[in-house]
């Protein structure tokens, strides 16, 4: 009887092992800030649309906020360039506050090329952050 | 008859042992939520840094615990719904935690924190509908 019970418990022990993926490894991948950040921000390339003249429009989805004060406004500036053209699209500026902390911007490229996007953020206390991204058109 | 009663008692003990084992396994599985956790005072809340329209997959979503005393420390986080989602305390900001989902899905998380001498206060965060894409201003109906 005891042997049967022991076998059953051993079976349960083996079956109910925690086989979930190691979560902390995944967390290190998604948390991109290596030092104390003043801002939390994210810039995503949503899609590249092509028009009838084969020009490419890069559409970006952006979210930005101050790390210490979620309600504080953040001034943002997005500039676009390629290796050959310094200001390939018009620089876009605005204030991210409330629902406007999530916004979209786009850049219509005259020729297919890699696009460099610089995101600059400025907080109400003079905090500053600049990040550069590179997106390939191919 | 006494033999039959003995058998019944033995079976009863076996069933009890198995039930106890499952109870123990369940407690171990729920290790990140202390069984003595209590809910937070009413003057405290969780504030999302981003508007709901920014709740999309593959984006780190920051949240702040607002109100309460100065010395708040997040002790553990756990996703209770959302297979591809993870939750983490910010390593630099004591009141901030983050949620992240790889895929679009419904997300619910638990955040356990301490405040002064009070330990194991718990916030249930969500449910949040994480989508693949959302236009600014778009909210869950």
């Amino acid at each position: 009887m005891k042997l049967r019970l022991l076998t059953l418990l051993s079976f349960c022990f083996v079956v109910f092992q925690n086989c979930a993926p190691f979560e902390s490894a995944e967390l290190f991948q998604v948390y991109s800030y290596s030092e104390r950040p003043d801002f939390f921000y994210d810039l995503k390339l949503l899609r590249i649309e092509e028009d009838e003249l084969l020009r490419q429009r890069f559409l970006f989805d952006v979210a930005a906020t101050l790390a210490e004060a979620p309600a504080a406004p953040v001034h943002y500036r997005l500039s676009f360039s390629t290796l050959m053209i310094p200001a390939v699209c018009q620089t876009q500026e605005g204030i991210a506050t409330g629902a406007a902390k999530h916004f979209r911007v786009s850049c219509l490229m005259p020729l297919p090329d890699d696009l460099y996007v610089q995101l600059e953020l400025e907080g109400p206390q003079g905090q500053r952050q600049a990040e550069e991204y590179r997106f390939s058109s191919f | 008859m006494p033999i039959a009663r003995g058998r019944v008692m033995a079976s009863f003990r076996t069933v009890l042992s198995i039930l106890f084992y499952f109870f123990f396994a369940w407690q171990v599985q729920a290790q990140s939520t202390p069984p003595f956790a209590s809910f937070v005072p009413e003057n405290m809340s969780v504030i999302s840094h981003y508007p709901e329209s920014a709740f999309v997959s593959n984006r780190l979503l920051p949240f702040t615990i607002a109100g309460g005393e100065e010395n708040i420390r997040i002790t553990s986080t756990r996703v209770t719904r959302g297979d591809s989602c993870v939750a983490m305390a910010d390593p630099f900001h004591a009141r901030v935690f983050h949620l992240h989902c790889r895929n679009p899905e419904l997300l619910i998380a638990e955040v356990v924190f301490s405040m002064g001498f009070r330990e194991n206060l718990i916030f249930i965060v969500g449910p949040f509908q994480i989508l693949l894409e959302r236009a600014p201003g778009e909210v869950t109906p």
Side-chain angles (χ1 to χ4, degrees), chain B residues 64-76:
Chain B
T64 286
I65 297 175
E69 295 168 22
E70 281 290 304
N71 49 349
I72 284 178
R73 191 171 61 89
I74 294 170
T75 50
S76 70

Side-chain angles (χ1 to χ4, degrees), chain B residues 54-131:
Chain B
F55 289 7
V56 293
S57 51
N58 288 310
R59 170 170 283 155
L60 196 65
L61 304 172
F63 293 82
T64 286
I65 297 175
E69 295 168 22
E70 281 290 304
N71 49 349
I72 284 178
R73 191 171 61 89
I74 294 170
T75 50
S76 70
T77 54
R78 187 172 77 118
V79 170
T80 53
R81 180 148 184 201
D83 290 341
S84 73
C85 303
V86 288
M88 68 174 292
D90 190 282
F92 303 106
H93 300 275
R95 286 174 174 262
V96 177
F97 65 93
H98 301 270
L99 303 176
H100 180 277
C101 294
R102 261 183 291 114
N103 303 320
E105 59 184 314
L106 197 70
L107 164 65
I108 302 175
E110 286 177 2
V111 179
V112 182
F113 64 99
S114 63
M115 182 175 65
F117 294 109
R118 300 180 65 184
E119 291 195 348
N120 298 313
L121 297 161
I122 186 167
F123 264 120
I124 309 288
V125 189
F128 299 125
Q129 190 65 58
I130 307 296
L131 301 181

